[in-house]
Amino acid sequence: MAARYDHPGEQAAQDPIRLLAIRETPLSVDEVFTAVGDSAAGGTTLFVGTVRNHDGGADVDALGYSCHPSAEAELRRVAEKVCADYPVRALAAVHRVGDLEVGDIAVVVAVSCPHRGEAFEASRQLIDTLKHEVPIWKHQKFSDGTEEWVGAC
């Protein structure tokens, strides 16, 4: 049975993708949050991924992200799929590339939907699919001098 919408605000927005980017510069949580503001949204989720100081039992000193030239196009494809699966009012996603230090922001995603449950589910799909399908690779540098490449896809 098709979903019944009592108000136009219950539906997905005509163009819900407000901000998509892969950047070498520091990311702004405020910019992403502002991008998904929508008066018809009753729920907005914001996820911020930061560089942690450990991975797999080893201490991480720093890391670098690099991406394939198709990464932004793949990010758009992922965002469009999330918008097709949920009544998204607004969506934003930015990922950083280049050298980052522990504590730096690596990725920020946000989704606004008519209701909180939809916003949580859409946001979860967005970040999980981004991490698995957008060609962005992480080069971790450990305290013991070893290094590791981690592929997103």
Side-chain angles (χ1 to χ4, degrees):
M1 178 177 191
R4 180 173 168 259
Y5 299 107
D6 296 326
H7 187 276
E10 298 290 308
Q11 301 170 18
Q14 288 294 87
D15 186 12
I17 299 173
R18 306 276 175 84
L19 171 64
L20 294 177
I22 297 175
R23 298 182 176 155
E24 292 183 20
T25 56
L27 305 182
S28 167
V29 172
D30 290 338
E31 177 192 23
V32 174
F33 182 71
T34 299
V36 298
D38 190 290
S39 61
T44 300
T45 59
L46 178 74
F47 172 80
V48 180
T50 56
V51 177
R52 65 180 175 264
N53 66 359
H54 67 281
D55 189 42
D59 292 334
V60 172
D61 285 341
L63 59 80
Y65 283 101
S66 59
C67 68
H68 189 272
S70 68
E72 280 198 19
E74 288 300 307
L75 180 57
R76 176 159 293 281
R77 182 188 59 75
V78 167
E80 288 171 349
K81 174 76 166 97
V82 171
C83 292
D85 291 348
Y86 297 94
V88 174
R89 299 296 309 170
L91 177 149
V94 292
H95 202 295
R96 188 155 173 210
V97 293
D99 293 329
L100 285 77
E101 301 294 325
V102 170
D104 284 349
I105 297 173
V107 62
V108 184
V109 302
V111 177
S112 292
C113 290
H115 303 283
R116 70 176 177 273
E118 299 159 339
F120 276 117
E121 292 171 16
S123 183
R124 179 69 178 245
Q125 181 177 322
L126 177 59
I127 189 61
D128 287 351
T129 308
L130 182 162
K131 295 301 280 181
H132 286 95
E133 296 183 12
V134 177
I136 298 172
W137 304 284
K138 177 170 57 175
H139 182 209
Q140 299 187 111
K141 299 170 187 171
F142 299 104
S143 297
D144 66 4
T146 61
E147 300 178 356
E148 174 186 49
W149 281 95
V150 180
C153 51

